[in-house]
Amino acid sequence: ENSLGQEAHAAPSVFSYFLPDFTPSGPLYSASLYSPESQILTSPKVLSTLNGMFSFLEFGLVDCYGGFGPSAQFMSPSCPMTSSGRWINKVKKKIAYGSSMYPPVANNAERIVDELDILLTNGRLSQSSRRNLIQAVQKSNNFYHGLRNAQKLIITTPEYQSTSVVRRRLGFRVTPSDLPPPTKKYRALVHIMLNGGADSFNIVVPHSRCTRTTSYAQYSNIRGVVAIPKEKLNVINAINVQPCARYGVNDALPYLYQLYNEKDALFVAGVGTLTEPTDQSNWQKNHFGIVQLFAHNKQQTDSEQVDIFQEYPGTGIGGRIVSALQKIGYETSALSVGGVSEFLIGDAAIAFLDPSMGIQKLHPIPYGRDITDIVLNLNGPTEPISGLFGESWARQIHQALSDSAKYNAALDSVELQTKFPDTYLGNQLRAIAHLIKTREIRKVERDLFYATSEGWDMHAKVGNGLIQLLGEVDMALKSFVTEMKDQNIWNDVLIFQASEFGRTTTPNTSGGTDHAWSGNYFLAGGLVKGGQILGKYPDISEGSPLNIDRGRIIPSFPWESMWKPVA
């Protein structure tokens, strides 16, 4: 899963590994074509997939230098470090869990390449790519090395990675020029998505000095077995006019509670996807045929695109912000440490970093030659009539290699002083903090980051699961804020937390809660006017005008109400 983005019997959700209507930035987006698999075609996955294949061709199925096989930690001989220690086929048979034993009929460079062309690309290899591969084989030390080099290189081509015809044109792809020193003050936005639908009515809870229908007693009665005991709440003042003067923050979030009291964090209540002001009498009329409520995939799309009327089809709110900033002269980067998301899709390229594996290098075998230039040539510019899927692959591998060089150099030059928790979100926020510290090296003025936390779809036994995940969020948040303060950048960073929807206020028979609508979210940052609850905390009682059924609460405010002041 870490290398390919997929693993048998380990899909990240019931929606498999990618969404059926996903469209990446670039030529496929411009042509209004879908490409579900592109959702896992990120720079880290491109390099890790190729490196895994290179390892298999060189060593067989082991884990040497990014291989897909089992650990080689205790095997003998160990992964070779020099060309003199290269494994022969006898060693591969002994150690590896399978290997490539393909014997070509051909015995010269031209015939080897032509044979691989027929077998692997159905004869679609362009003349330019064919020449590059023949030259690589001819420069090899011997026949065996030439075959391996040809196999490695051909799997990097757009002809191999797509089924369309690739029409090459002369020249080279334009490489990004070196940026001038930044002239504007740096700002960063960190978007944290709690995937699965967080039960945010157990994050911020009515506490005291409330109206009758929103009191803690009413909350406790409605929520039943999933209610948070009053002694497990840290009390905050609402400041703004809300149904309660005081609310309680789940005590699994002690640092977020501290930030609220320090006026570095605030909550926004009653938010979700909305077409117009809505209540129990018109919610179906207002949303039927426009919005598919209560479904993870559709609501993730709506909450990350923030464009339910499709005025800017296929783009995310983050991607549109990046595009707008670039148009007015800001050097802006879009970076994801949480995989592919519709949030960042727009006109600008998105850089991806895998927090668990870092930025990989292509062909990391110690004694292997640097094949970067050859791979770039194999993925050169194409004609307008060339296949768009092949062009998408070629652009992605160019970006992957560019990102690898740029971010490896930047990240190697700085170190973090703060220790982060070794959790899924902790590792992502550590990576973001590391990237922020490279802001001057990267010469950027605006950064938009995307991170995720998984596992919030709790249809059963929500109590302990919610506490554990909230604890992970809180510990990661504390380390991140500490590091931002150490970098003296906290006043220039905004954290925007969201989830695709809230959950039912009434529990189900399994002690969990189900898909609903309205939710409560937080913003944090040094310049946030914190210590207040914005929006309106809803009346969750059975007779409430916003309660559809089973505690599905209609939002009072759309996602746009949070994003407009942020943008």
Side-chain angles (χ1 to χ4, degrees):
E1 183 179 358
N2 287 336
S3 298
L4 295 170
Q6 301 180 79
E7 185 171 345
H9 314 299
S13 76
V14 294
F15 304 105
S16 191
Y17 302 95
F18 29 73
L19 300 176
D21 55 357
F22 180 80
T23 300
S25 303
L28 296 176
Y29 164 69
S30 300
S32 300
L33 293 174
Y34 294 136
S35 178
E37 295 88 346
S38 292
Q39 193 166 357
I40 57 172
L41 191 67
T42 64
S43 296
K45 292 295 185 288
V46 166
L47 296 181
S48 60
T49 299
L50 291 176
N51 287 338
M53 292 296 293
F54 295 160
S55 175
F56 172 72
L57 291 168
E58 188 78 20
F59 310 110
L61 193 57
V62 291
D63 72 342
C64 294
Y65 309 113
F68 300 138
S71 174
Q73 182 179 0
F74 301 109
M75 67 187 184
S76 179
S78 59
C79 299
M81 296 291 292
T82 63
S83 58
S84 61
R86 265 181 166 156
W87 291 353
I88 58 175
N89 286 337
K90 183 178 179 180
V91 175
K92 290 184 186 180
K93 287 181 179 180
K94 174 185 175 183
I95 296 177
Y97 290 76
S99 60
S100 172
M101 305 301 291
Y102 162 67
V105 175
N107 57 8
N108 62 58
E110 290 84 354
R111 293 182 63 186
I112 288 174
V113 171
D114 289 341
E115 189 171 322
L116 291 175
D117 180 21
I118 292 295
L119 292 172
L120 299 179
T121 74
N122 197 27
R124 291 179 294 108
L125 204 61
S126 70
Q127 287 301 310
S128 173
S129 295
R130 181 177 179 273
R131 285 193 299 271
N132 278 314
L133 290 177
I134 290 172
Q135 290 173 8
V137 175
Q138 291 172 337
K139 291 178 181 178
S140 302
N141 294 332
N142 55 48
F143 170 81
Y144 174 80
H145 295 162
L147 172 63
R148 288 289 172 264
N149 288 336
Q151 288 174 309
K152 289 178 183 179
L153 290 172
I154 198 169
I155 65 175
T156 72
T157 65
E159 292 92 336
Y160 175 83
Q161 295 291 340
S162 70
T163 58
S164 54
V165 176
V166 177
R167 301 292 188 192
R168 287 289 307 277
R169 62 180 173 85
L170 296 176
F172 301 93
R173 291 183 184 272
V174 177
T175 56
S177 57
D178 191 29
L179 297 174
T183 59
K184 303 176 182 71
K185 189 174 178 62
Y186 178 81
R187 293 279 192 274
L189 169 67
V190 180
H191 182 38
I192 301 175
M193 189 70 175
L194 308 185
N195 279 330
D199 194 337
S200 53
F201 287 105
N202 273 4
I203 294 176
V204 184
V205 176
H207 188 272
S208 51
R209 295 169 58 186
C210 306
T211 60
R212 183 182 63 82
T213 56
T214 55
S215 66
Y216 176 82
Q218 184 77 358
Y219 155 87
S220 182
N221 180 58
I222 291 169
R223 302 236 72 186
V225 296
V226 303
I228 305 298
K230 204 167 188 178
E231 62 271 17
K232 293 290 185 180
L233 298 172
N234 292 319
V235 182
I236 58 174
N237 293 315
I239 306 298
N240 291 329
V241 176
Q242 295 289 347
C244 297
R246 293 178 178 174
Y247 286 82
V249 178
N250 193 310
D251 72 354
L253 293 164
Y255 190 70
L256 180 59
Y257 168 70
Q258 177 184 325
L259 288 177
Y260 184 94
N261 285 330
E262 292 173 351
K263 295 186 169 41
D264 278 357
L266 60 81
F267 292 99
V268 185
V271 177
T273 300
L274 274 181
T275 59
E276 58 184 280
T278 300
D279 60 23
Q280 192 181 60
S281 67
N282 62 6
W283 71 275
Q284 288 179 308
K285 175 186 173 183
N286 289 352
H287 294 83
F288 182 77
I290 303 173
V291 178
Q292 187 174 333
L293 299 170
F294 319 131
H296 287 293
N297 56 339
K298 297 300 183 182
Q299 286 303 290
Q300 283 176 357
T301 294
D302 287 341
S303 62
E304 293 182 348
Q305 288 187 345
V306 193
D307 183 30
I308 57 177
F309 294 111
Q310 292 297 288
E311 295 180 41
Y312 312 96
T315 65
I317 181 65
R320 297 197 298 276
I321 291 173
V322 170
S323 298
L325 287 168
Q326 289 180 339
K327 287 177 182 177
I328 58 175
Y330 285 89
E331 293 296 342
T332 308
S333 293
L335 304 107
S336 173
V337 296
V340 174
S341 161
E342 292 175 281
F343 169 70
L344 289 175
I345 292 178
D347 296 331
I350 305 167
F352 295 90
L353 186 146
D354 187 330
S356 63
M357 303 178 73
I359 300 287
Q360 292 196 50
K361 295 180 180 179
L362 184 69
H363 202 230
I365 298 170
Y367 56 82
R369 60 184 295 196
D370 185 352
I371 62 173
T372 301
D373 288 341
I374 303 175
V375 172
L376 292 175
N377 286 334
L378 290 170
N379 289 272
T382 59
E383 297 286 355
I385 61 171
S386 186
L388 297 182
F389 290 93
E391 171 65 13
S392 294
W393 164 264
R395 289 191 186 189
Q396 189 58 54
I397 197 167
H398 268 258
Q399 185 182 340
L401 293 172
S402 173
D403 290 347
S404 176
K406 178 171 73 172
Y407 291 109
N408 267 316
L411 293 171
D412 287 346
S413 66
V414 298
E415 293 183 359
L416 298 182
Q417 302 303 315
T418 307
K419 183 177 180 180
F420 281 75
D422 186 17
T423 61
Y424 187 70
L425 182 60
N427 289 329
Q428 291 180 69
L429 292 188
R430 174 176 48 78
I432 291 174
H434 203 172
L435 286 164
I436 288 176
K437 198 165 186 179
T438 68
R439 58 192 179 275
E440 293 180 359
I441 300 170
R442 294 184 290 117
K443 300 179 181 178
V444 292
E445 296 164 335
R446 295 290 186 272
D447 272 330
L448 269 74
F449 297 101
Y450 177 78
T452 63
S453 175
E454 305 293 334
W456 297 85
D457 189 22
M458 300 180 189
H459 290 279
K461 299 179 181 178
V462 67
N464 291 334
L466 182 66
I467 290 171
Q468 178 181 342
L469 285 181
L470 290 177
E472 290 181 6
V473 170
D474 199 67
M475 289 188 293
L477 181 65
K478 183 176 182 179
S479 294
F480 181 77
V481 176
T482 300
E483 177 61 31
M484 293 300 95
K485 290 181 177 180
D486 286 348
Q487 293 184 29
N488 197 29
I489 197 72
W490 176 232
N491 284 347
D492 300 311
V493 175
L494 174 67
I495 299 170
F496 186 116
Q497 177 266 317
S499 193
E500 63 260 42
F501 47 56
R503 303 192 77 83
T504 54
T505 54
T506 55
N508 57 34
T509 56
S510 299
T513 54
D514 300 320
H515 305 178
W517 197 348
S518 181
N520 311 306
Y521 308 104
F522 72 80
L523 300 175
L527 291 182
V528 167
K529 296 179 180 178
Q532 59 179 326
I533 299 177
L534 302 177
K536 184 177 181 182
Y537 201 93
D539 175 1
I540 65 173
S541 63
E542 288 298 322
S544 164
L546 299 180
N547 191 339
I548 301 173
D549 62 77
R550 285 200 55 236
R552 288 188 172 95
I553 307 300
I554 299 170
S556 297
F557 296 92
W559 286 111
E560 288 86 345
S561 66
M562 289 184 70
W563 279 111
K564 185 175 180 179
V566 168

